[in-house]
Every structure is written in C-alpha cells, then in structure tokens.
C-alpha cells in the first residue's frame, strides 16, 4: 500500500488532474490511496471570501464564491463526458449554494469565527476530491471518494487542530483499508478533518502533506509520495535560484528543519508520523514523473558537501526585550517565554546579552497582545520585515570553521542574529527581508558550486 498526495498545482485544472490520473494508473500494482489538496489558490480564495463576509462585504464574498463555482464547473466539464458531468454539476451546484448561504450568514452575524472559517475553507479539498474521484472513474480507475471528515479525526483547535492518531488509525483500518483490499482507489481531501462529534476542522496551511503522512502511518504504508511541481527537494527554492540542484536523498531531520524554516515544498509536521514508522517519503514532480525526486529517509548517506540545502522564511519580526535591572534576576527569561507561549506565538531564534533578549516571531497577528504583556515587565522594541535564513546539513556537526565560511559569503549583508540549533544540523541567521535573494544566491554559489553527485543531481 502507498499513499500518493497531489498538491494544489498538481490538481490545479483539468490538464493537471488528467496527468495525476495517469500517474496513479502507473502505480495500481502498489495499491495507492490518493490524497488531494484543493486546486491551487482555492484555499486562499475561500479564506478571503470568509474574511470579506466577516467584514460585512457581502458582494466581494459572493463574487469570490462565484469565481470558484465557475472554476470548479469548468474543470469538471473538461474532465467528464455529459452523463457524469450532469451528475457532479448538480452536486457542485448544491454545494456552492450552501457555501453562498453560509457566507450570507457570516455577513448577517458580522463575525467569522475560527470554527466557521474552517467550515468555509473545507470546500476546497472536499469538492476537489469529488472531482478527482469522478475523473479517475471516467478514466477507468475503480476510484471512490472518501470523506476526510470521517477519517482524519482531530481535537477542536480550529485552523490548527491536532490529529488524534489512535482514532485516525482506527478509522483508516475500518474505512480506507477495506476499500484498498477490494482493489478500489480511495480518494480523499487532505488538510481537513473533523472532531469526534463531526465538527469540521483543518490542520494548518499546507496540511495535506500531513494528512498523507498520517494516513500512511496509520496503515503502515510502504511509501508516501508527495507529488508537487518541482523535481523534489532542491538545494534552495528554485524561484530564488534557478540553478538549484535536486537533493537525491535527505534525512528526516534535515527535511524537517528545512520545512520549518521556509522550504515550502513540504509541511514540517509531515515527516513525524512517517519517521516514527520508518516509512520512506518521496517528493516527486507531477509534471516530470520520470524524475527520481527526493527520498527522505531516517539516515541519509554521507555527502561531500557540508550542507544539503538553504531555506528562507520571510515576514519575521525581531522583538528586543531590554531590562537592565531585571535580566540577571531569577525567572526573567521564563516570564518572557511564558508571555509568548500564552499568546501562541512560536519563537524561532533567540539571542541574549547582559541586558537584553532578542527573539524572532512569525505570527505577526499575535504581536500586539504579546507586546501589551511584555511592556509590563520590560522595554520592548520591534523590527519587522526580517527574514530567517537557514543552512541545513548533518555534516555541520563534523566540520570546523563553517560559520566563518558562511559569513565570508555574506559580507556586506547586515546579519542581525545568529544561532546554531541544538540539533547541530542547522546554522540560522536573521537578515532584512530585502537581502534574502542576494544572501541565498551568494550562499548557494559558495556551497553548491561543486555538488557531490552521490547526493545531488
Ligand atoms: P504543493 O501545491 O504541491 O503543495 P507548494 O507550493 O506547497 O506545492 O510547494 C512547492 C513549492 O515549494 C515549489 O514550487 C518551490 O517553489 C517551493 N520551494 C521552496 N523551497 C524549496 C526547496 N528547497 N525545494 C523545492 N521546492 C521549494
Ligand atoms: N489547500 C491547503 C492549503 O493551501 C492545504 C494544502 O494544500 O496542503 O494550505
Ligand atoms: Mg504544499
């Protein structure tokens, strides 16, 4: 059994869905379970519609919904012949009518709660899984749509709900596995789930990778395949550096660091359920399916190069907490961290001096609330529009003098904070957002001009 997850760009229109279908057909012997994202940009549009409704902008909300309705109708009509299309058209029409009613309801109450937002956003994956399953059937696959809300059980923390692993395993074994054993290809939406009592939830942006890993782990899959629009994990974001190389094999730990620090190609939590069960994860290109992609495994083989890849995460704010009298005092750091924790603001990089602590946060919405509390105990300064750049590689552990090479490559770029993670596999620093392209290109040139052919393509 394998899990094949198709990201937004791999199911963005009829051509892409057609391609995905061929890829699935080529793997029928491995008994695939398919997990699909919403078509690309649909999640953003649904969130925007929900927000517009919450702000009382009824016309904008309904216009966004109308555009989405058209896009789903068009995609389905291009994929299906008349009989099947009529069937799914009726279904899509009634779904979009319900969505419009919901948006009008949000306008009427004048508020978009996280619970309602999850309900609105779930349309992306729910409808696309129906369209994909119908298209697969029309192309001769014995495919069936599985409602992710009956399988992916979570707690009730809307917008970033925590999957309940034991319950998911039970549901996968009773709902999904029997289908696979009958020779059926289950098709389910990623990213969305529900509480045990059936209230819809979502597991965080980019969460379809996570869904795929959870299903794969629950069923002890032989492999999890993340199908996307690039040849695998690259030495850096190919949009920043067109000469980025494909990484052939990378360790789970390295992939997790990269994902966390902005390599959008993979959701950070994805690797965990797979790691625990030693299930290999492949990142593959749906537009170039013959390419070998990237294999993510527990232990990566040794490489000649120090680093595996460079990631960058923008929209970071540095918070400087200055308290000349307090810093040495017992419990001061704890008090600061408690404030960030209370407001759910994750801290990425920390550096301390005699009289100050600097921290970086990426959840900009939480900053005003954090600030109000911090100001009760210290002087606080903020610097927005920063970015974290992170170099990852297990060889860092064994190579002296790396920091010097990194900073030589970066000369003339103002580096604000530096940290080498406790995991010893990353070097992380903070710079101005505008310096990211230049910094990444220089680092890439320094460390990847001579890539080890065993590890890189
Ligand atoms: P999907 O829709 O398949 O989930 P995403 O947009 O979430 O795709 O992720 C794929 C994108 O991630 C690529 O198009 C690429 O621009 C970006 N990306 C960022 N860093 C990397 C990296 N190191 N390797 C590969 N892709 C990366
Ligand atoms: N559609 C969701 C998002 O855009 C989940 C995903 O694509 O992984 O965040
Ligand atoms: Mg993604």
């Amino acid at each position: 059994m394998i899990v094949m997850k198709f990201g937004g760009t791999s199911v963005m229109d009829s051509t892409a869905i057609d391609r995905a279908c061929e890829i699935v057909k080529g793997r029928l012997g491995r008994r695939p379970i398919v997990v699909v994202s919403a078509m690309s940009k649909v999640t953003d549009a649904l969130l925007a519609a929900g927000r517009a409704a919450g702000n009382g902008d009824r016309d904008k909300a309904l216009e966004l919904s109308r555009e989405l309705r058209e896009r789903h109708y068009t995609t389905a009509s291009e994929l299906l012949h008349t009989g099947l299309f009529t069937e799914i058209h009726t279904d899509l029409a009634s779904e979009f009518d319900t969505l419009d009613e919901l948006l009008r309801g949000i306008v009427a109450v004048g508020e978009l709660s996280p619970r309602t937002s999850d309900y609105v956003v779930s349309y992306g994956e729910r409808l696309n899984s129906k369209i994909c399953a119908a298209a697969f059937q029309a192309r001769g696959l014995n495919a069936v749509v599985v409602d992710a809300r009956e399988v992916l059980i979570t707690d009730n923390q809307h917008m970033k709900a925590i999957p309940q692993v034991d319950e998911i395993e039970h549901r996968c074994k009773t709902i999904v596995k029997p289908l696979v054993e009958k020779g059926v290809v289950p098709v389910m939406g990623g990213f969305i789930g529900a509480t045990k009592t059936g209230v819809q939830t979502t597991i965080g942006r980019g969460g379809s990778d996570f869904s795929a890993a959870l299903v794969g782990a629950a069923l002890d899959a032989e492999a999890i395949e993340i199908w996307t629009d690039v040849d695998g994990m690259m030495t850096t974001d190919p949009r920043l550096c067109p000469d980025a190389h494909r990484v052939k094999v990378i360790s789970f730990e390295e992939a997790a660091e990269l994902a966390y620090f902005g390599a959008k190609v993979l959701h950070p939590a994805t690797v965990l359920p797979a790691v625990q069960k030693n299930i290999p994860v492949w990142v593959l290109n749906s537009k170039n399916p013959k390419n070998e992609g990237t294999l993510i495994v527990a232990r990566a083989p040794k490489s000649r190069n120090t680093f595996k890849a460079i990631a960058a995460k923008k929209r970071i704010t540095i918070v400087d907490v200055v308290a000349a009298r307090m810093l040495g005092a017992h419990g001061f750091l704890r008090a600061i961290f408690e404030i960030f924790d209370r407001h759910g603001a994750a801290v990425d990089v920390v550096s301390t001096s005699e009289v100050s602590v600097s921290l970086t946060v990426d959840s900009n919405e939480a900053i005003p609330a954090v600030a109000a509390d911090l100001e009760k105990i210290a002087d606080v300064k903020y610097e927005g529009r920063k970015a974290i750049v992170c170099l990852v590689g297990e060889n860092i552990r064994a190579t002296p003098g790396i920091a010097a090479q990194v900073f030589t490559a970066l000369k003339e770029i103002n580096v604000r904070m530096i940290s080498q993670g406790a995991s010893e596999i990353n070097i992380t620093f903070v710079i101005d957002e505008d310096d990211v392209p230049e910094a990444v290109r220089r680092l890439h040139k320094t460390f990847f001009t001579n890539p080890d052919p065993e590890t890189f393509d």
Side-chain angles (χ1 to χ4, degrees):
M1 219 178 303
I2 60 168
V3 178
M4 304 176 72
K5 176 260 173 177
F6 291 91
T9 42
S10 299
V11 284
M12 67 190 285
D13 55 22
S14 56
T15 317
I17 295 173
D18 212 20
R19 228 171 9 226
C21 183
E22 286 310 307
I23 295 171
V24 174
K25 272 189 181 169
R27 279 163 159 73
L28 281 183
R30 302 185 68 194
R31 302 194 299 165
I33 297 160
V34 175
V35 174
V36 294
S37 290
M39 295 181 211
S40 65
K41 308 255 163 39
V42 166
T43 303
D44 290 334
L46 285 164
L47 287 171
R51 268 195 311 271
N55 294 333
D57 193 342
R58 181 174 179 276
D59 291 347
K60 184 174 174 198
L62 292 176
E63 174 56 21
L64 283 164
S65 166
R66 198 191 56 73
E67 285 166 11
L68 287 174
R69 184 192 289 255
E70 282 310 312
R71 182 164 168 202
H72 284 78
Y73 285 174
T74 308
T75 306
S77 76
E78 287 168 1
L79 285 164
L80 304 168
H81 48 73
T82 324
L84 279 173
F85 176 62
T86 313
E87 217 174 282
I88 201 154
H89 184 273
T90 313
D91 188 13
L92 291 175
S94 104
E95 290 275 16
F96 276 105
D97 290 346
T98 315
L99 175 63
D100 288 348
E101 248 173 69
L102 182 61
L103 292 170
R104 286 192 203 96
I106 297 168
V107 175
V109 290
E111 193 204 342
L112 177 71
S113 67
R115 177 174 166 153
T116 314
S117 179
D118 272 354
Y119 195 75
V120 171
V121 88
S122 75
Y123 277 81
E125 268 72 10
R126 283 201 304 106
L127 303 189
N128 203 30
S129 55
K130 288 187 186 186
I131 293 177
C132 288
F136 287 7
Q137 284 161 13
R139 280 153 186 73
L141 281 176
N142 189 4
V144 161
V145 62
V146 169
D147 190 336
R149 296 168 297 180
E150 283 169 18
V151 176
L152 214 109
I153 304 306
T154 70
D155 71 358
N156 63 359
Q157 293 181 58
H158 287 282
M159 302 175 91
K160 47 173 190 293
I162 311 283
Q164 308 294 293
V165 177
D166 292 342
E167 191 60 31
I168 292 172
E169 187 174 323
H170 172 66
R171 305 276 180 124
C172 280
K173 285 188 171 145
T174 50
I175 300 172
V176 184
K177 196 175 174 202
L179 292 172
V180 180
E181 282 169 348
K182 276 195 296 191
V184 172
V185 178
V187 179
M188 58 184 273
F191 174 58
I192 59 173
T195 63
K196 254 182 153 173
T197 53
V199 180
Q200 304 204 23
T201 53
T202 57
I203 57 174
R205 290 305 305 270
S208 294
D209 301 336
F210 195 12
S211 303
L214 287 160
V215 172
L219 294 175
D220 282 314
E222 286 146 36
I224 295 161
E225 297 183 345
I226 306 291
W227 289 88
T228 183
D229 64 346
V230 281
D231 276 343
M233 294 206 79
M234 314 290 279
T235 48
T236 192
D237 188 339
R239 282 175 301 198
L240 278 178
C241 213
D243 55 353
H245 308 281
R246 172 171 64 95
V247 185
K248 292 183 188 169
V249 194
I250 193 166
S251 74
F252 280 116
E253 216 189 332
E254 290 169 330
E257 295 280 337
L258 281 172
Y260 186 76
F261 287 109
K264 192 185 158 214
V265 65
L266 204 75
H267 187 286
T270 309
V271 285
L272 261 183
V275 139
Q276 284 155 352
K277 295 217 163 166
N278 242 318
I279 301 174
V281 178
W282 290 90
V283 181
L284 295 156
N285 188 352
S286 64
K287 291 180 178 156
N288 186 17
K290 290 216 165 66
N291 190 285
E292 284 165 41
T294 299
L295 175 60
I296 305 173
V297 290
R299 296 236 127 264
K302 275 264 160 281
S303 162
R304 264 200 342 247
N305 296 67
T306 312
F307 298 114
K308 287 285 167 49
I310 308 166
K313 185 163 159 184
K314 292 190 178 179
R315 282 183 287 283
I316 298 293
T317 298
I318 299 182
V319 183
D320 286 315
V321 186
V322 185
R325 288 169 297 114
M326 287 284 290
L327 194 69
H330 178 74
F332 184 64
L333 282 179
R334 194 189 61 209
I336 293 176
F337 280 106
E338 263 172 13
I339 291 172
F340 283 89
D341 193 41
R342 192 165 346 123
H343 297 290
V347 172
D348 288 326
V349 185
V350 183
S351 76
T352 57
S353 79
E354 188 61 29
V355 291
S356 72
V357 190
S358 301
L359 316 96
T360 67
V361 282
D362 64 359
S363 48
N364 290 323
E365 316 91 70
I367 288 178
V370 168
D373 279 355
L374 282 177
E375 273 152 19
K376 291 178 196 152
I377 57 168
D379 294 329
V380 193
K381 271 195 332 221
Y382 305 90
E383 280 180 72
R385 298 184 48 80
K386 297 286 176 253
I388 296 178
V389 174
C390 174
L391 294 125
V392 172
E394 282 180 353
N395 278 353
I396 297 176
R397 284 196 184 106
T399 324
I402 288 183
Q405 287 178 50
V406 169
F407 294 111
T408 308
L410 287 175
K411 61 173 185 279
E412 290 138 39
I413 291 177
N414 182 23
V415 176
R416 278 285 277 107
M417 289 166 72
I418 306 159
S419 119
Q420 187 165 346
S423 66
E424 291 185 324
I425 68 160
N426 80 54
I427 293 182
T428 303
F429 53 91
V430 183
I431 57 177
D432 281 341
E433 217 171 66
D434 295 340
D435 288 335
V436 167
E438 181 65 21
V440 169
R441 265 182 238 127
R442 284 200 208 176
L443 290 167
H444 197 267
K445 192 154 175 252
T446 305
F447 294 105
F448 294 104
T449 303
N450 200 356
D452 181 349
E454 291 287 312
T455 313
F456 305 96
D457 198 13

